[in-house]
């Protein structure tokens, strides 16, 4: 049966296919050997390489014996194949075991390194947040102390001046009345008095002096309002968390930044601030920290407007504007929206602005802490959220959502007007 031509053809075909597979395995083993750098790592694979060559020789010899019909030698060849096959399996299992051990060892090292890296990163983030909180507190304390000190120093003399203006107004009215009485009693004064009256332009003084006093009174009242806003902004003598009026904090911040809002851009237009205040309740918060958020955001909006104006190649009729909108949103929250039509940001920059020490400003003009501290104040300290949307060369919008905690029934009167 084994000597039939069909059977011999099938046997030769099967052995030839086995030889081809073995040849391919030898080629791949040569490639594997190139991956190892040391002789000890290559030893096991070299032995397997030699065994595969022996197998390939056995396949070729088996084909020869089959073709020449020397069937009696095939049992001997089969025994040798079984022996070398057992050696091949042994070395295969040994190499697989060693490779698996190396893999598990590398995985363990990777896991340990990953855990150490994560632990180090966590500690770094904790340290970074602690440093940010320290910087935030020191900044607000220094700013609040300075503002409160300036407000106090201004308040004392201006209160003295404002308090005495009323008496000055009365004294001047008495003097002017006395001059009028004197003119009625002595309608024909001495020539020296006539010349003195002509030189001093007495009629103009009598008409303008009350107006001058009224202007001085209005000026001192305005200064007192600014001093009150400075005191509200610093809030040094208040508890950390309390029910506070958000609108009052925004208005105080705008007073602090009024000198920057009056900066003229390329089209000789000052920055306009449009406030849209809706009825929102007082919320339980830390007003000093929220004032710092408003200061950072409005400062950034002013920077964006000035940057856009500086980059414009031609004069434009567009008015640099900051919009501040507050309203009572859903889920028992209030929303504070601060938008501008400044230079805007790319999507990539917008996604990173709340990262610590990230800044697009030149060296020396920004620390990269303002927005990250604002994020920490809103999200971590007040349980709110802050979101940025921006389009390059069109503007930026920051939406702040704050939860209403123990809201009062009293609400702020609605106001929609320009702040100039």
């Amino acid at each position: 049966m084994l000597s039939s031509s069909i059977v011999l053809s099938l046997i030769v075909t099967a052995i030839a296919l086995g030889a081809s597979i073995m040849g391919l395995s030898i080629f791949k083993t040569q490639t594997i050997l190139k991956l190892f750098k040391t002789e000890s790592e290559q030893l096991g694979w070299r032995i397997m390489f030699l065994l595969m060559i022996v197998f390939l020789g056995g396949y070729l010899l088996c084909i020869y014996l089959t073709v020449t019909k020397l069937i009696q030698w095939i049992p001997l060849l089969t025994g040798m194949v079984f022996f070398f096959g057992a050696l091949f399996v042994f070395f295969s299992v040994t190499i697989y075991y060693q490779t698996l051990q190396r893999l598990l060892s590398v995985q363990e090292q990777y896991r340990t390194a990953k855990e150490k890296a994560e632990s180090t990163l966590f500690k770094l983030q904790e340290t970074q947040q602690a440093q940010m909180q320290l910087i935030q507190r020191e900044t607000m304390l220094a700013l609040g102390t300075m503002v409160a000190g300036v407000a106090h120093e201004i308040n004392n003399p201006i209160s003295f001046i404002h308090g005495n203006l009323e008496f000055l107004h009365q004294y001047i009215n008495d003097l002017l009345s006395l001059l009028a009485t004197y003119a009625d009693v002595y309608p024909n004064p001495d020539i020296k008095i006539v010349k003195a009256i002509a030189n001093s332009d007495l009629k103009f003084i009598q008409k303008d002096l009350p107006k001058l006093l009224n202007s001085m009174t209005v000026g001192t009242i305005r200064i007192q309002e600014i001093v009150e806003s400075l005191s509200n902004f610093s809030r040094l003598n208040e508890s950390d968390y309390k029910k506070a009026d958000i609108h009052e904090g925004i208005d105080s911040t705008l007073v602090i930044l009024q000198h920057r809002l009056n900066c003229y851009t390329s089209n000789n237009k000052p920055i306009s601030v449009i406030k849209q205040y809706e009825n929102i309740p007082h919320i339980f918060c830390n007003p000093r920290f929220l004032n710092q958020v408003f200061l950072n955001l409005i400062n950034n909006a002013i920077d964006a407007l000035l940057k856009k104006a500086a980059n414009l190649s031609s004069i434009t009729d567009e008015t640099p504007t900051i919009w501040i909108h507050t309203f009572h949103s859903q889920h028992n929250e209030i929303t504070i929206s601060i938008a501008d039509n400044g230079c805007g940001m790319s999507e990539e920059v917008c996604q990173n602005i709340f990262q610590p020490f990230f800044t697009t400003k030149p060296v020396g003009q920004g620390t990269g802490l303002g927005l990250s501290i604002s994020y920490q104040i809103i999200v971590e300290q007040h349980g709110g959220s802050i979101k940025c949307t921006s389009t390059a060369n069109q503007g930026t919008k920051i939406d702040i959502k704050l939860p209403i905690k123990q809201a009062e029934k009293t609400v702020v009167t609605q106001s929609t007007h320009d702040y100039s």
Side-chain angles (χ1 to χ4, degrees):
M1 181 178 176
L2 292 177
S3 60
S4 66
S5 59
I6 297 177
V7 174
L8 290 176
S9 299
L10 291 175
I11 293 173
V12 170
T13 302
I15 296 173
L17 289 175
S20 300
I21 296 172
M22 187 58 66
L24 182 61
S25 300
I26 291 172
F27 175 76
K28 289 189 175 182
T29 304
Q30 283 183 321
T31 305
I32 293 174
L33 283 170
K34 295 178 182 179
L35 300 176
F36 297 102
K37 304 300 181 182
T38 62
E39 291 292 336
S40 59
E41 293 176 339
Q42 294 180 352
L43 181 59
W45 286 96
R46 287 189 182 280
I47 295 174
M48 288 183 62
F49 180 75
L50 294 174
L51 289 173
M52 283 187 282
I53 292 177
V54 172
F55 270 115
L56 181 59
Y59 281 121
L60 297 177
L61 180 59
C62 189
I63 292 174
Y64 172 76
L65 294 175
T66 304
V67 172
T68 58
K69 298 182 180 180
L70 299 175
I71 306 300
Q72 66 273 18
W73 292 99
I74 289 182
L76 176 60
L77 182 61
T78 303
M80 295 177 62
V81 168
F82 285 162
F83 172 74
F84 286 107
L87 285 177
F88 181 80
V89 171
F90 173 76
F91 280 104
S92 297
V93 172
T94 302
I95 291 174
Y96 175 78
Y97 175 73
Q98 292 175 348
T99 304
L100 185 61
Q101 279 189 321
R102 292 194 189 100
L103 178 61
L104 294 175
S105 176
V106 170
Q107 286 180 337
E108 180 65 21
Q109 292 174 1
Y110 171 77
R111 185 187 63 80
T112 304
K114 182 181 178 182
E115 289 178 353
K116 288 182 179 179
E118 290 176 347
S119 176
T120 303
L121 179 61
F122 179 74
K123 291 180 180 178
L124 179 62
Q125 290 175 340
E126 282 188 332
T127 303
Q128 195 176 60
Q129 288 182 354
Q131 289 176 342
M132 286 174 56
Q133 289 179 353
L134 180 61
I135 292 172
Q136 166 201 333
R137 291 182 179 276
E138 292 298 325
T139 300
M140 282 305 296
L141 181 61
L143 181 61
T145 303
M146 181 190 69
V147 169
V150 171
H152 177 73
E153 292 300 322
I154 295 175
N155 188 56
N156 285 339
I158 207 64
S159 297
F160 173 78
I161 294 172
H162 182 76
N164 286 317
L165 279 176
E166 183 179 353
F167 298 105
L168 181 59
H169 198 280
Q170 180 181 345
Y171 296 159
I172 288 177
N173 285 336
D174 292 342
L175 289 175
L176 291 177
S177 177
L178 178 61
L179 287 174
T181 303
Y182 184 85
D184 290 338
V185 175
Y186 297 99
N188 300 311
D190 186 80
I191 188 66
K192 292 183 179 180
I193 296 177
V194 173
K195 289 182 179 180
I197 292 174
N199 291 333
S200 63
D201 198 358
L202 182 60
K203 291 184 178 180
F204 175 78
I205 293 175
Q206 289 175 326
K207 180 180 179 181
D208 190 61
L209 191 55
K211 296 180 181 179
L212 180 63
L213 288 175
N214 288 333
S215 297
M216 293 173 65
T217 302
V218 171
T220 55
I221 292 174
R222 174 60 178 159
I223 294 174
Q224 287 179 327
E225 291 175 351
I226 294 174
V227 169
E228 183 180 0
S229 296
L230 293 173
S231 300
N232 290 335
F233 180 84
S234 62
R235 296 180 180 270
L236 286 181
N237 297 324
E238 298 181 3
S239 59
D240 285 343
Y241 284 84
K242 55 174 285 185
K243 293 176 183 176
D245 181 2
I246 294 298
H247 295 159
E248 183 180 274
I250 296 174
D251 291 338
S252 300
T253 305
L254 290 172
V255 171
I256 297 292
L257 296 174
Q258 188 60 53
H259 68 288
R260 298 204 67 202
L261 294 170
N262 290 333
C263 292
Y264 285 85
T265 54
S266 59
N267 55 5
N268 293 323
K269 293 182 179 180
I271 297 172
S272 174
V273 177
I274 299 177
K275 298 189 295 184
Q276 296 175 302
Y277 289 171
E278 297 187 9
N279 292 334
I280 61 174
H282 294 187
I283 65 171
F284 190 75
C285 63
N286 188 317
R288 277 195 298 132
F289 288 169
L290 289 184
N291 286 348
Q292 185 180 8
V293 173
F294 302 146
L295 183 69
N296 292 335
L297 297 181
I298 297 174
N299 247 330
N300 285 347
I302 295 173
D303 290 339
L305 291 168
L306 296 179
K307 182 178 179 180
K308 181 178 180 179
N311 293 336
L312 287 176
S313 57
S314 60
I315 302 300
T316 177
D317 292 332
E318 183 182 42
T319 300
T321 306
I322 297 174
W323 292 270
I324 303 176
H325 184 200
T326 63
F327 56 93
H328 193 164
S329 53
Q330 298 178 350
H331 308 297
N332 202 31
E333 293 176 332
I334 65 166
T335 297
I336 305 151
S337 176
I338 300 176
D340 64 74
N341 57 350
C343 62
M345 295 173 285
S346 65
E347 181 67 24
E348 181 181 358
V349 173
C350 192
Q351 291 177 354
N352 291 285
I353 60 172
F354 297 117
Q355 297 296 325
F357 305 106
F358 178 84
T359 180
T360 58
K361 297 179 181 178
V363 177
Q365 296 186 17
T367 61
L369 289 175
L371 291 178
S372 62
I373 289 175
S374 299
Y375 180 88
Q376 190 177 56
I377 291 172
I378 297 298
V379 177
E380 298 182 11
Q381 297 183 12
H382 288 83
S385 64
I386 182 169
K387 179 183 178 182
C388 173
T389 54
S390 183
T391 304
N393 298 320
Q394 293 187 20
T396 300
K397 181 181 178 183
I398 303 289
D399 289 321
I400 298 172
K401 293 185 183 294
L402 292 172
I404 300 173
K405 301 176 181 178
Q406 303 178 9
E408 294 180 342
K409 294 183 179 180
T410 305
V411 296
V412 182
T413 305
Q414 182 175 352
S415 171
T416 303
H417 54 278
D418 285 351
Y419 187 91
S420 58

